[in-house]
Each structure stands twice: as C-alpha cells, then as structure tokens.
C-alpha cells in the first residue's frame, strides 16, 4: 500500500465502518474508500463517509481557553488551565462533596477512550454522576433488559439479514443504519420473495418504501400496536409453548394481561387495520425465523420503556430468540454501560430530583433541574467531553442557563461548540484521526470483533488526547504521582517476556503498599504498561490489555475457535497483540447459538418475562390517550424533532458545507397542511412549542401524514462565515425537558407538540 493511504474508521455513526483514507501532502482527505479488511463492514460505506475531510479540517480549538469577566475567552497555557481546574474541583469536593460534581459525555459515535479515562476523573472527585446521550435513547431498553436477562448491560443484536420475517420498528436503517451494511441487507430482504419485510413507522420512509407490509402507526401509539399483536397471539393460543416452558419464567403471570387486550380497539387507536395486525401476528408466529430491529421511533416516543418491554415480548413469547436468524445476546470486550441497582436496593439516586441511574447513566433531561435550583445539594461543577448538551440535550435554553450557573464548567472538544461557548474553561482535544481511538459499539453475534484505530494524522499543535487531559487533572488534584519510573521499567521487561507476568505482579505489590492508587488503575497502566507499548501514541490502549485477559477468563473456548493455539494467560497476550496490530480491526470470539444462553445473567439462565411495573403500565394505557388528547389542542402538530437524513450526523461535523443536499435541513409538511397554512414549497415558517421557537424552510411532501411535521437534528451550529439562513434550525429550541418517559426520562423527541406560523423570509435577516 502506498504511503498516503491510511486505515481507520468512519466516525459518523455507530457502525464505524472501516475506511481507507487517501491524503494529499497537506493532510486533506482526497478519497475515502471502504476497507474490505474490516471484519464487519467488509468494504461497505455510505455517502457520509466520503465527506470526513469536513470533520478533520474543520475550524478547530487550538488553545485552552478561560472565560474573562466580560464574557469573552482568553487563551491560557495548559499548565494554568489544568491547575486552575484541579484546584476548583478540590475546593468544590471539600466544600460540598463529590456528589456536587457531574460528568457528561465521554464518547460520541467514534470515540470512547475519553469515556474510559473520564472514569478516573470521576473517581478522583468521588462522584457517580455520569450523564450520557445514551440516557436519552436506550436506558428504557437497558432497564427492561435488566429484568428480562438479569443485568442492564445485557444487550441483543438482530439477525436482519438471516431472518425469514423481519420487523423494522421505529427505525430507518436505509438512512440511519443501526446494524452493519444496513442498506444492502434491507434491499436483499425486500427483494427476496421468501422473506417478508414489515416496517412500522409514522412516515413513509426510505425503508418503508421497500416494505412488503407497511404499518403506518399513529405517532406515539406503538404500545397499542404491540399490545394488539401480543393480545392476538395470546388470545389465539399462538405463543410458542415449548420455548416458553424451556427458556422462560413468568408466562402465567403475564398471560392474563394480554388475554384482556381489546385487540380491535387498540389497533384502531394505533391507526392500523385489524386485518394487518392479524396478518403480521400470524406471520411472526409461523415464520421459521423472525428478527426485530427497533430504534428511536419507539424510544424517543410515548410509552418508551413500555415499548421496549412489549417489543421484546413479541419475539420472546413466539420463541424467536437465541437461534440463528433471530435476536440474540452478544458479548462485549469492554461493556458500554454498567448495571445500576434499584434505589431500594442501595442504588444511587441524584441529589435534587432523586432520579435513579440505569446502566450507571443519568439522563440529560434532568440535568438542568439538578443544576439550576437553590437546592443545597445541587450540582456545582460539570465536565463535558465529546458531547454538546446545549445543542443535543432537550431544551437548549434551559441547558445553556444551567451551564452558565455552574461554579465550574469545563468542555473538552475539538471545536468551539454551543456548550463550549457557555463554559468557563475549554480544552482542545486531538481529533479522532490524530490519536488512538476505539468504540465499544461491538454488538455482534455469533462472531464479535474489536477495532482499535491508529492515528492517521499528526496531532494539531497544542492539543492533547483525553486520557492525557484526565491524567493531568487527577495528578494536579494531588491524587497520585505523574509517573511511575520503576513500574515503567518493569513494564518494558514484561513486554519482552510477557509470560513471566512481571508487570501484573509488580502492579499488585505496588497497589498493596499504596492502596489509594487502586482508584486509578487505568492511569497507572497508561503511564507504565502503555508507555512500554511499541507505538508512541498507544498509551491509552493499555486498558485493552486488561480487558483481553478478562475476556479470556470468560470466553477462552470462543476465542480459540478463531484459530488461536494459545491457552489461558498466553491467549490473553495473543488476543491483545492481535488487536494492537490489526489496523483494520479483528474478530475476538465466535460463539455457538446454544452458548448465547450462557450470556443470560439470571442464575437459572432463563428469561424472566414478568415485570410488574410494565404490566401495571400496560393496564393504564387507555387513560394515557385521554391525557394526550387534551395536550394536543393548543399545539395542533406533532413534530418529529430529529430525523436521520443523508447529511446529518449528530453534531460531529459543524461546517454546513459538508452537505451535498438539504443544506438548510427542511421541515417536511403534508400538502393539505401546507394548503391550510398557505405555505408553498420553500417558504419559511415559524414553529412554536411550549419551550421555544425556531424558523425553518419547508418542503411539501406526502411522505408525512397530515398533522405530522418532520425536521432533522444535527443542524444549526455556529460556524465561521455562516449565518442563520445557511446553518439550519436548532431543533432543541423546541424540546421540553419535562416531556419524557416517566421511568427512564428519555425525551419524547418524536412527539413534540408545536404550532406553526408562516413568516416572511425577510424577517430572518
Ligand atoms: N444519517 C444519520 N444516521 C445516523 C445518525 C445521524 O445523525 N444521521 N445518528 C445515529 C444515532 S446517534 C442513532 S441513535 C441512530 C437512530 O436511528 P433511527 O432511530 O433509525 O433514526 P430516526 O430517523 O431518528 O428515527 C427512526 C424512525 O422513527 C420514526 N418514528 C417517529 N415517530 C415514531 C413513532 O411514534 N412510532 C414509530 N414506529 N416510528 C416513529 C421516524 O419516522 C424514523 O423513520 O441513527 C444513527 N445514524
Ligand atoms: N431533538 C433531538 N435531539 C437529539 C436527537 C434527536 O433525534 N432529536 N438525537 C439524540 C441522540 S440519539 C444522540 S446519540 C445525541 C448525540 O449528541 P451528543 O451526545 O452531543 O453527541 P455528538 O453529536 O456525537 O457530539 C459530538 C461532540 O464531540 C465532539 N468531538 C468530535 N470528536 C471529538 C474528539 O475526538 N474528542 C472530543 N473530546 N470531542 C470530539 C464534537 O465536536 C461534538 O461536539 O443527540 C441527541 N439529541
Ligand atoms: S455514517 Fe455510513 S460510512 Fe459512516 S459508519 Fe455510518 S454507515 Fe458507515
Ligand atoms: Mo443516538
């Protein structure tokens, strides 16, 4: 391979497809191709990856910044920034306790190293509070998984490509992916006459257009649709009795709840013909294999956590689980999330709103309530890393006001984001192509993989990688020394003779005599073992070495199935070396389907179907319809606030010029609604919610039904030489923090009530 072609991954969605990057002598990405050696994406790319130069070459942060009393920023040195932040953290910890400090982010779609090392800063502050974007989408799922499978970090993947009957529920894989090679796979399922593709969506999406059966559900009414499907199955005795008896507990307890579902009434509420419910229920029951893929359409929507439960019951009571062509639990080299105990059992809650953690995460929707209050135990400091709460969390104004109220706010990012603009300190990070990175979105079965990415560009001057930033803050807080010369020497020897286990032994002895350092294993590893690795930039990869040895303890047989000859400790070393040197990523284990049942974390290895809170919620469903109807009067439209399109990728690329089409991010509106408001294609309108307002350009289409408006997220970022007319609208001006799931606090972004007014374009400038 010639010198200027480098291997990495696309960082614009959680697929992280492997890429081959061609660069010119100034480091511009002149051509980007799919990497066929990547074990999962195998050369696949979508159109977004070709525009990654707009990420790497964007307007970057080039110095630590400190806010002055007049509100503007001044450039300061790293030493000053780190010491001032460390001193303030120590002061806040000493005065109010560590629980007055929170951390937000720790990873976008391509970077999780910061999140791993951010845990060390949280340890130094003694705070459990990790706010995450995942807690505005997936925590309802995690909570339900905890009950069904035993732990909140058990996750399943779906064999969309192998199943005979496929349901895509509240997801649009043709645009958003969500599983590897989504486009060719959906196209194959759609074309194959032996297979059936069912799409449940409120819009006739790119995926819905390919469906054999399109169930056009009314916004937020999926719980009724799912309950009707389950009701029909149970009332007709169509559940898989053998599977239920062998693999599950609790069916007798849940059965009466579905025997009582008024199927035709619920179908009507969901806006679906009863005959379609019957057809799809029978289709699922009688199919040899069924896979269900769901995403934000049911997560950021009414009854989010209940939807998660009902969607899982659909494949569980029909026996489509843990077999080829169905949904299946998978392993993780390093789990993306943890497991939180319920508060009654000693689980942590937040200080002000008493929200429980789920998967050890706390939800963005409560963040302003925990900060912007006079409560003596309120949050007083926030460290933000690779997330942009002011733009991406619900209620932009409330998030900004909360950040401005903090005694200490620090943003670690590559760009001057909306959140950085409101913070006191801004620290410039290296981009994802300038350091070693990895994500933990390795959600595959039966073969799972890991991709540790090597840098492909020289770091921009005066930037640091996140592990180094955390290391410096923790040492400046006086928690531990900066380096460990003796351990480092031992690590170097250990790398020459790994089987002597010199380093693990020395590390054990060191922490025995210095128990305080036990809190910071990753930082010690980074400065000793990590420094001894063969690449100068590989220090953060040191924790992967520990993860490999732990993975071997659990899955030795499954790793060896890939052809490794080593056993035990030697296998851990071999796996680590393979990951470290495989620039395109590598497979890490291969399971049999029967072995997937060992991944259940309940002691009896069965799925526990009964979740009393969910059954109660199901019983209460009819009351909710009346409440929602009341709310709808004042704001006649349902806004889908955050549609995945060809050229949005959360907030990862800020320069609007990256978009080849849909440059303003139009609002989709049905022709009859447009006519009623006298709106013509391309007219600008004002949307007003109970929280705020914005202006947006329209596009008239019957892709959306009457009464539904749809706009993208990932627009509206300030960027040099661009104004309001070219950056698009800031979606979260409209989203209220209190419109969210009662249990998981995930926002109802797909069900934002708004009213519409026509505006003259001249008002914009
Ligand atoms: N192009 C692009 N791809 C992305 C991203 C991106 O920013 N841009 N972001 C990535 C991220 S972070 C995520 S989480 C995923 C999300 O991926 P998806 O969830 O697949 O994407 P969305 O477009 O947000 O929403 C999915 C679908 O839900 C539908 N929907 C809305 N309301 C309802 C409802 O009440 N019921 C049902 N059944 N459907 C409804 C919408 O019409 C939409 O088609 O995408 C990832 N991929
Ligand atoms: N209304 C509405 N809001 C939404 C959504 C929606 O559909 N509708 N979707 C939600 C979803 S599903 C998600 S996942 C969130 C995503 O929202 P966020 O959690 O905010 O995630 P990203 O947009 O990925 O944020 C990436 C940030 O990381 C920075 N960054 C990029 N590379 C690096 C790096 O190497 N180091 C550091 N330190 N920073 C870096 C980028 O500049 C950017 O500021 O948005 C959510 N918000
Ligand atoms: S945006 Fe496209 S190319 Fe990039 S990771 Fe996602 S699916 Fe792959
Ligand atoms: Mo997401």
């Amino acid at each position: 391979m010639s010198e200027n072609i480098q291997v990495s991954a696309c960082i614009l969605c959680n697929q992280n497809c492997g890429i081959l990057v061609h660069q010119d002598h100034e480091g511009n990405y002149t051509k980007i191709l799919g990497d066929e050696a990547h074990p999962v994406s195998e050369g696949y790319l979508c159109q977004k990856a070709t525009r990654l130069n707009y990420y790497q070459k964007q307007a970057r942060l080039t110095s630590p910044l400190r806010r002055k009393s007049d509100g503007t920023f001044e450039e300061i040195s790293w030493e000053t920034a780190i010491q001032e932040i460390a001193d303030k953290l120590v002061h806040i910890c000493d005065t109010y306790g560590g629980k007055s400090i929170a951390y937000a982010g720790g990873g976008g779609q391509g970077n999780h190293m910061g999140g791993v090392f951010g845990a060390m800063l949280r340890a130094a502050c003694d705070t459990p509070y990790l706010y995450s974007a995942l807690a505005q989408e997936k925590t309802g799922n995690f909570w339900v998984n905890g009950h069904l499978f035993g732990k909140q970090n058990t996750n399943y993947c779906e064999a969309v490509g192998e199943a005979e009957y496929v349901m895509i529920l509240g997801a649009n894989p043709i645009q958003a992916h969500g599983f590897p090679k989504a486009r060719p796979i959906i196209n194959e399922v759609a074309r194959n006459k032996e297979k059936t593709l069912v799409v449940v969506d409120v819009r006739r999406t790119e995926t819905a257009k390919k469906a054999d059966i399109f169930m056009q559900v009314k916004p937020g009414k999926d719980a009724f649709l799912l309950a009707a499907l389950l009701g029909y199955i149970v009332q007709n005795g169509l559940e898989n009795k053998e599977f239920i008896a062998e693999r599950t507990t609790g069916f007798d307890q849940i059965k009466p709840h579905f025997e009582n579902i008024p199927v035709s009434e619920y179908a009507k509420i969901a806006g679906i013909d009863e005959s379609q419910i019957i057809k799809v229920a029978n289709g699922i029951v009688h199919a040899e294999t069924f896979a269900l893929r769901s995403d934000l359409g049911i997560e950021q929507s009414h009854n989010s956590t209940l939807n998660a439960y009902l969607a899982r019951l659909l494949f569980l009571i029909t026996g489509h689980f843990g077999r080829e062509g169905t949904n299946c639990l998978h392993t993780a080299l390093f789990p993306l999330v943890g497991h939180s105990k319920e508060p009654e059992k000693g689980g942590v809650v937040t200080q002000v709103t008493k929200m429980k953690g789920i998967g050890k995460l706390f939800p963005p929707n409560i963040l302003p309530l925990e900060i912007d209050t006079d409560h003596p135990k309120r949050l007083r400091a926030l460290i933000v890393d690779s997330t942009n709460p002011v733009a991406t969390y619900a209620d932009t104004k409330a998030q900004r006001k909360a950040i401005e109220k903090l005694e200490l706010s620090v943003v670690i990012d590559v760009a001057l984001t909306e959140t950085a603009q409101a913070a006191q300190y801004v620290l410039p990070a290296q981009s994802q192509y300038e350091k070693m990175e990895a994500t933990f979105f390795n959600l595959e079965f039966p073969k799972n993989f890991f991709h540790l990415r090597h840098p492909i560009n020289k770091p921009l001057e005066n930037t640091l990688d996140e592990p180094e930033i955390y290391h410096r803050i923790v040492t400046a807080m006086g928690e531990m020394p900066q380096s460990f010369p003796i351990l480092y020497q031992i690590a170097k020897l250990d790398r020459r003779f790994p089987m002597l286990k010199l380093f693990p032994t020395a590390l054990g002895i060191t922490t025995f005599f210095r128990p305080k350092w036990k809190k910071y294993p990753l930082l010690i590893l980074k400065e000793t073992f990590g420094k001894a690795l063969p690449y100068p930039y590989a220090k953060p990869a040191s924790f992967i070495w520990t993860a490999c040895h732990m993975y071997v303890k659990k899955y030795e047989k499954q790793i060896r199935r890939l052809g490794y000859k080593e056993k035990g400790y030697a296998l851990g070393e071999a796996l680590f070396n393979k990951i470290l040197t495989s620039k395109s990523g590598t497979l890490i284990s291969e399971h049999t389907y029967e072995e997937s049942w060992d991944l259940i974390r309940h002691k009896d290895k069965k799925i526990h179907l009964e979740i009393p809170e969910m059954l109660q919620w199901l019983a209460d469903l009819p009351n909710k319809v009346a409440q929602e109807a009341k709310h709808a009067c004042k704001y006649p439209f349902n806004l889908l606030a955050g549609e995945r399109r060809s050229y949005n990728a959360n907030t990862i690329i800020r320069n609007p010029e990256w978009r080849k089409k849909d440059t303003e991010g139009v609002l989709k509106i049905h022709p009859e609604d447009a006519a009623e408001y006298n709106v013509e294609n391309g007219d600008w309108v004002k949307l007003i919610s109970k929280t705020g307002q914005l202006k947006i350009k329209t596009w008239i289409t019957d892709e959306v039904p009457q009464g539904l408006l749809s706009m993208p997220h990932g627009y509206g970022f300030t960027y040099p030489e661009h104004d309001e007319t070219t950056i698009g609208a800031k979606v979260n001006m409209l989203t209220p923090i209190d419109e969210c799931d009662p249990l998981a606090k995930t926002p109802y972004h797909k069900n934002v009530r708004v009213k519409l007014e026509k505006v003259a374009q001249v008002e914009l400038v």
Side-chain angles (χ1 to χ4, degrees):
M1 190 176 289
S2 88
E3 291 250 300
N4 68 341
I5 304 175
Q6 308 270 358
V7 183
S8 188
C10 173
I11 55 153
L12 297 178
C13 88
N14 70 343
Q15 292 315 306
N16 302 128
C17 301
I19 54 174
L20 299 176
V21 183
H22 296 237
Q23 300 188 26
D24 67 15
H25 59 280
E26 283 167 355
N28 293 306
Y29 298 172
T30 50
K31 189 157 85 176
I32 294 179
L33 299 173
D35 178 9
E36 285 175 15
H38 187 282
V40 174
S41 65
E42 295 177 321
Y44 174 79
L45 285 187
C46 79
Q47 77 290 347
K48 292 193 289 304
T50 60
R51 311 291 280 175
L52 277 165
N53 198 43
Y54 287 91
Y55 166 76
Q56 177 58 17
K57 290 283 176 177
Q58 66 181 310
R60 293 274 297 275
L61 291 167
T62 51
S63 165
L65 302 174
R66 179 176 59 195
R67 184 174 298 285
K68 293 196 287 189
S69 51
D70 67 1
T72 60
F73 282 117
E74 61 187 333
E75 294 191 354
I76 54 172
S77 70
W78 273 103
E79 290 69 28
T80 308
I82 296 284
Q83 198 56 56
E84 287 187 13
I85 292 167
D87 290 347
K88 288 184 182 186
L89 285 172
V90 170
H91 169 74
I92 291 170
C93 275
D94 290 349
T95 317
Y96 309 107
K99 286 190 167 175
S100 59
I101 299 171
Y103 178 95
Q109 301 294 300
N111 52 329
H112 286 146
M113 288 290 195
V116 172
F117 284 82
M120 299 291 93
L121 181 60
R122 293 201 296 283
C125 299
D126 229 347
T127 175
Y129 298 133
L130 164 56
Y131 287 81
S132 163
L134 272 177
Q136 56 176 338
E137 47 177 314
K138 302 281 179 282
T139 30
N141 294 351
F142 300 158
W143 187 85
V144 169
N145 288 346
H147 285 270
L148 293 173
F149 308 121
K151 283 279 187 294
Q152 289 163 354
N153 53 10
T154 49
N155 187 47
Y156 64 76
C157 52
E158 45 288 288
V160 177
E162 289 79 42
E164 174 192 324
Y165 208 86
V166 173
M167 180 184 278
I168 304 290
L169 170 64
N172 185 12
I174 290 284
Q175 280 300 9
H177 294 83
F179 53 89
K181 297 184 276 190
R183 283 179 188 162
I185 285 180
I186 289 289
N187 286 335
E188 196 279 327
V189 178
R191 265 195 312 265
N192 191 327
K193 296 226 160 33
E194 314 279 297
K195 297 183 177 186
T196 306
L197 177 65
V198 181
V199 174
V200 185
D201 205 297
V202 293
R203 289 185 303 130
R204 190 173 288 278
T205 62
E206 295 83 349
T207 312
K209 282 179 190 145
K210 297 179 186 284
D212 298 297
I213 303 174
F214 174 37
M215 302 176 102
Q216 190 161 18
V217 66
K218 286 198 179 149
K221 297 291 185 284
D222 299 78
F224 291 90
L225 185 156
L226 291 164
L229 284 169
L230 289 160
Y232 177 84
I233 291 168
V234 171
Q235 288 161 26
N236 291 283
L238 294 174
E239 69 275 9
N240 186 328
K241 296 178 186 66
E242 206 181 309
F243 177 93
I244 288 171
E246 191 190 345
R247 299 294 195 181
T248 72
T249 67
F251 184 73
D252 290 344
Q253 286 71 35
I254 69 167
K255 192 174 172 192
H257 294 266
F258 294 99
E259 279 170 337
N260 288 333
I261 299 286
V263 174
S264 55
E265 191 189 319
Y266 275 23
K268 205 161 155 207
I269 295 173
I272 304 290
D273 220 51
E274 194 183 352
S275 63
Q276 220 181 24
I277 297 280
I278 295 170
K279 187 171 176 191
V280 172
N282 276 300
I284 295 170
V285 165
H286 297 297
E288 194 54 44
T289 50
F290 166 62
L292 183 145
R293 164 80 202 161
S294 58
D295 214 328
L296 298 182
I298 60 161
E299 290 162 0
Q300 294 187 335
S301 183
H302 293 158
N303 303 304
S304 171
T305 305
L306 178 63
N307 289 338
Y309 179 56
L310 299 178
R312 283 157 181 73
L313 286 186
L314 195 57
F315 56 76
L316 292 174
I317 71 162
T318 51
H320 293 296
F321 192 71
R323 280 187 293 122
E324 192 171 357
T326 69
N327 292 10
C328 214
L329 297 182
H330 63 78
T331 63
L333 182 66
F334 196 90
L336 193 56
V337 301
H339 174 84
S340 299
K341 283 189 237 163
E342 290 294 323
E344 315 77 86
K345 295 190 176 152
V348 180
V349 296
T350 59
Q351 303 281 81
V352 178
T353 67
K354 304 294 171 207
M355 175 62 191
K356 63 181 170 194
I358 301 177
K360 296 261 197 267
L361 307 176
F362 292 88
N365 276 57
I366 64 160
L367 188 58
L369 303 173
E370 297 286 332
I371 299 171
D372 192 10
T373 157
D374 292 331
H375 197 289
K377 291 189 169 176
R378 66 180 178 271
L379 286 177
R380 293 165 195 267
L382 183 69
I383 314 291
V384 176
D385 178 351
S386 39
T387 184
N388 185 359
V390 172
T392 64
Y393 292 4
D395 199 341
T396 286
K397 271 193 287 184
Q399 300 287 351
R400 190 190 302 123
K401 182 160 172 271
I403 286 175
E404 285 169 352
K405 182 176 165 135
L406 289 163
E407 283 164 43
L408 174 67
S409 50
V410 181
V411 169
I412 303 167
D413 207 294
V414 293
L416 192 66
T417 65
E418 288 62 29
T419 309
Q421 289 164 33
Q424 289 157 15
Y425 292 90
V426 184
L427 303 179
Q430 292 169 1
S431 89
Q432 296 187 47
Y433 297 110
E434 297 168 353
K435 62 193 171 205
M436 201 152 219
E437 258 304 352
T439 77
F440 305 126
F441 296 132
N442 319 112
L443 320 172
E444 303 304 312
F445 191 89
K447 292 183 184 172
N448 209 348
F449 79 110
F450 196 78
H451 189 188
L452 182 65
R453 285 145 32 209
H454 292 237
I456 62 170
N457 293 98
K458 267 214 326 266
L460 191 69
E461 210 178 316
N462 211 20
T463 57
L464 292 176
D465 67 23
E466 294 79 355
E468 181 62 26
I469 295 173
Y470 294 124
H471 179 87
R472 290 191 188 184
I473 299 176
V474 173
T475 49
M477 287 172 80
E479 287 289 302
M480 56 179 284
Q482 272 192 340
S483 59
F484 306 84
I486 302 172
L487 264 184
Y488 170 50
Q489 293 306 328
I490 296 171
K492 280 206 290 194
L493 256 182
D494 180 277
R495 284 305 78 196
R496 286 176 58 199
F497 310 104
M499 288 314 289
L500 297 180
K501 300 188 189 174
L502 297 173
F503 181 74
T505 312
L507 185 63
I509 295 169
T510 310
T511 49
F512 179 80
F513 288 107
R514 290 268 194 281
K516 200 181 159 194
W517 294 357
K518 273 198 192 143
K519 266 169 95 175
Y520 308 109
L522 304 184
L523 295 179
I524 303 177
L525 269 172
K526 167 179 165 296
E527 286 309 308
T528 55
F529 187 90
K531 241 168 108 174
L533 291 173
Y535 310 101
Y537 48 77
K539 285 205 256 176
S542 45
F543 81 92
I544 303 221
W545 171 71
T546 319
C548 285
H549 284 291
M550 283 160 62
Y551 201 67
V552 168
K553 286 206 174 110
K554 286 190 198 153
Y555 309 119
E556 172 148 2
K557 194 159 76 178
Q558 290 79 10
I559 302 169
R560 296 190 79 226
R561 211 168 264 149
L562 295 172
Y564 285 96
K565 299 280 173 276
E566 296 83 354
K567 287 186 178 159
Y569 194 83
L571 181 60
E573 289 297 314
L575 182 64
F576 174 65
N577 287 330
K578 181 83 181 167
I579 290 176
L580 188 64
T581 53
S582 301
K583 292 193 174 176
S584 294
T586 185
L587 293 175
I588 56 170
S589 56
E590 180 178 357
H591 276 63
T592 64
Y593 284 91
E594 192 52 35
E595 286 165 356
S596 77
W597 292 92
D598 294 336
L599 302 176
I600 291 187
R601 303 290 296 277
H602 286 304
K603 283 207 179 82
D604 60 6
K605 298 290 170 199
K606 291 193 173 182
I607 301 161
H608 294 193
L609 297 174
E610 186 193 8
I611 309 181
E613 293 92 327
M614 294 294 103
L615 295 168
Q616 184 58 50
W617 190 334
L618 179 66
D620 291 342
L621 261 187
N623 305 332
K624 299 207 53 180
V625 184
Q627 283 167 17
E628 284 161 21
K630 233 166 58 195
H631 195 62
C633 305
K634 215 166 142 200
Y635 298 100
F637 287 99
N638 183 98
L639 174 71
L640 197 166
E643 179 196 322
R644 269 72 191 155
R645 293 191 185 163
S646 307
Y647 290 102
N648 59 2
N650 294 344
T651 68
I652 304 164
I653 302 186
R654 298 179 62 82
N655 183 349
E657 289 156 36
W658 87 284
R659 309 182 205 282
K660 278 193 173 171
K661 57 178 189 187
D662 195 16
T663 44
E664 297 99 342
V666 291
L667 177 78
K668 294 178 182 170
I669 179 169
H670 188 272
E672 289 190 27
D673 291 330
E676 193 187 328
Y677 283 78
N678 200 18
V679 168
E680 286 180 28
N681 236 349
D683 281 353
W684 288 75
V685 296
K686 192 191 273 182
L687 295 183
I688 303 159
S689 75
K690 73 175 191 184
T691 311
Q693 50 176 277
L694 54 76
K695 287 171 192 161
I696 187 165
K697 195 173 168 177
T698 54
W699 183 50
I700 301 168
T701 167
D702 62 5
E703 173 194 307
V704 288
Q706 237 180 310
L708 182 80
L709 305 171
S710 182
M711 70 176 286
H713 67 302
Y715 282 72
F717 313 125
T718 51
Y719 202 76
E721 288 155 34
H722 283 271
D723 66 17
E724 226 187 314
T725 51
T726 52
I727 60 174
K730 298 175 174 23
V731 68
N732 284 312
M733 291 299 290
L734 297 174
T735 54
I737 48 170
D738 60 349
E739 296 285 324
C740 60
D741 187 70
L743 191 146
K745 304 285 177 204
T746 40
Y748 297 152
H749 284 334
K750 307 295 183 205
N751 299 109
V752 180
R753 299 305 317 184
V754 294
K755 58 184 176 185
L756 181 149
E757 286 172 12
K758 198 177 158 186
V759 294
Q761 174 149 15
V762 70
E763 276 180 53
L764 282 169
V765 274

